[in-house]
Amino acid sequence: MKAILVHQTGGPEQMRLEEIAVPSPGEGQALVKIAASGVNFIDIYFRTGLYPAPPPFSLGMEAAGVVESVGPGVTEVAVGDRVAYAMNRGSYAEYAVVTTWQLVKVPPALDLPQAAGAMLQGMTAHYLSHSTYPLKKGDTCLIHAAAGGVGLLLIQMAKMRGATVIGTVSTPAKAEKARAAGADEIIFYTEQDFEAEVRRITAGAGVQVVYDSVGASTFDKSLNSLAPRGMMVTYGNASGAVPPMQPLLLSQKGSLFLTRPTLAHYCANRPELLQRAGDVLGWIAAGSLHLHIERSYPMSQAAQAHIDLAGRKTMGKLLLLPHS
Ligand code: NDP
């Protein structure tokens, strides 16, 4: 089968399309024939070495497809099921072996590319808005990279929970997209001082929570945008990892809470996974959550997908189609 492998961390040119053996499912595993694989920023962190993995390693954390075969002891899925998953590395490939507790069945109303596009960013937006800081009516949140894959879904879920949303974006096209998703206020954080804008919009009060996926370039001003006892949720590093800081700073800036969450700990077992994925896929199937798939690339153009995502050229979701 064809798969993308990285032998040495570095730029997009390090992603090599290679012919390797189709893997066999072991106990509690299934072989999935992948119809579509999601492209996520975490794939860039592995490729560059920000997140370490021993080389050679495969890329891609999310996909949807059809169960081709199962190993011993599998009860969750059967051959022929349409399934989707996230947080299992190796989805930039025609086939992948996945631990079956991580597989969810795709509702009939969704096609496989939609399911592949919804899992990782959708469940992330879900845990951020429902669990890390459960938004409620009366809250105002600041969402950075609001037109991104997570951003567009997070705006919609924040609105479902009754919060006011301030989104940051870099271009007018992204502003339009974020507004269409429900953002109440938009700040062009590449041109405007977003801390000053947040204070202006909130009449000096600050926001209850900042969802910050940008990292190094926004962290300090994000802390300064919070109301006393607000929560700083730093959940990504698109501009680089946040440097070390003194806990005392949290006291000086208003007895703030700081958390650095990751999806795996919020989908820690099968009931939690089924509940989150059930909500996300169910809302998309019902039409109450809109998934914007910006572009699908053949797997041979995976490097271009990374260049576009890292280059801030994209809105919403990017997919790879391994069999096209
Ligand atoms: P996005 O589609 O959001 O793409 C990243 C966006 O970040 C860009 O479009 C850009 O938007 C903005 N950005 C700001 N500064 C930079 C920079 N220097 N370089 C590149 N982009 C920049 O990606 P994803 O939806 O895949 O992921 C969003 C973030 O969420 C990532 O940081 C990712 O790691 C994180 N994440 C974390 C998870 C977790 O559980 N902790 C799970 C899933 C994602 P603009 O042009 O508007 O500035």
Side-chain angles (χ1 to χ4, degrees):
M1 70 168 188
K2 290 194 175 59
I4 299 276
L5 292 184
V6 173
H7 291 264
Q8 193 185 328
T9 55
E13 72 286 350
Q14 297 297 344
M15 299 161 70
R16 300 216 202 120
L17 186 59
E18 296 183 8
E19 194 68 37
I20 60 171
V22 176
S24 299
E27 178 136 9
Q29 295 180 325
L31 179 69
V32 179
K33 181 177 182 183
I34 295 176
S37 174
V39 178
N40 293 285
F41 229 93
I42 191 171
D43 308 335
I44 296 174
Y45 304 146
F46 277 111
R47 194 248 296 148
T48 59
L50 179 66
Y51 291 0
F57 58 86
S58 51
L59 280 179
M61 304 294 281
E62 157 186 67
V66 175
V67 175
E68 184 98 348
S69 61
V70 295
V74 167
T75 53
E76 296 91 346
V77 295
V79 171
D81 281 350
R82 293 175 351 123
V83 293
Y85 66 91
M87 302 312 279
N88 191 98
R89 193 151 42 81
S91 67
Y92 290 9
E94 290 180 306
Y95 295 86
V97 161
V98 185
T99 310
T100 48
W101 80 258
Q102 289 185 290
L103 291 173
V104 299
K105 291 187 190 169
V106 175
L110 292 190
D111 62 28
L112 292 174
Q114 285 176 306
M119 290 293 287
L120 198 150
Q121 293 167 341
M123 291 198 294
T124 299
H126 191 284
Y127 85 72
L128 292 173
S129 56
H130 289 65
S131 303
T132 306
Y133 181 95
L135 287 164
K136 58 189 183 308
K137 200 169 160 44
D139 286 339
T140 300
C141 63
L142 176 62
I143 298 176
H144 287 308
V150 175
L152 288 174
L153 297 167
L154 184 52
I155 292 171
Q156 294 175 74
M157 290 186 204
K159 294 310 295 177
M160 283 180 196
R161 294 186 67 89
T164 298
V165 175
I166 305 173
T168 60
V169 297
S170 66
T171 67
K174 290 185 175 189
E176 198 178 318
K177 200 84 194 159
R179 277 203 189 91
D184 299 283
E185 302 278 352
I186 291 292
I187 301 172
F188 290 95
Y189 61 172
T190 42
E191 293 163 19
Q192 297 170 289
D193 177 344
F194 76 81
E195 175 189 338
E197 283 300 297
V198 167
R199 291 287 164 192
R200 182 187 64 75
I201 291 165
T202 59
V207 295
Q208 279 65 51
V209 55
V210 181
Y211 297 112
D212 189 336
S213 63
V214 174
S217 69
T218 47
F219 184 81
D220 291 346
K221 281 177 182 286
S222 293
L223 281 186
N224 294 340
S225 302
L226 284 162
R229 290 154 57 174
M231 185 181 285
M232 172 68 184
V233 183
T234 170
Y235 74 97
N237 340 266
S239 69
V242 176
M245 59 162 285
Q246 291 288 344
L248 195 57
L249 201 60
L250 300 174
S251 145
Q252 290 161 351
K253 291 186 184 292
S255 298
L256 303 178
F257 295 86
L258 170 65
T259 182
R260 201 327 180 170
T262 192
L263 175 59
H265 299 137
Y266 284 88
C267 276
N269 51 49
R270 188 150 178 85
E272 191 170 36
L273 168 72
L274 292 179
Q275 186 248 320
R276 276 194 215 291
D279 277 355
V280 171
L281 300 180
W283 291 336
I284 295 171
S288 53
L289 180 68
H290 175 71
L291 175 71
H292 173 66
I293 296 179
E294 172 126 322
R295 194 168 157 194
S296 301
Y297 303 72
M299 202 160 60
S300 57
Q301 288 177 22
Q304 189 59 48
H306 276 213
I307 290 166
D308 292 347
L309 183 60
R312 306 170 79 160
K313 291 194 170 64
T314 64
M315 297 185 267
K317 188 72 198 176
L318 305 181
L319 295 176
L320 298 183
L321 303 178
H323 295 275
S324 74

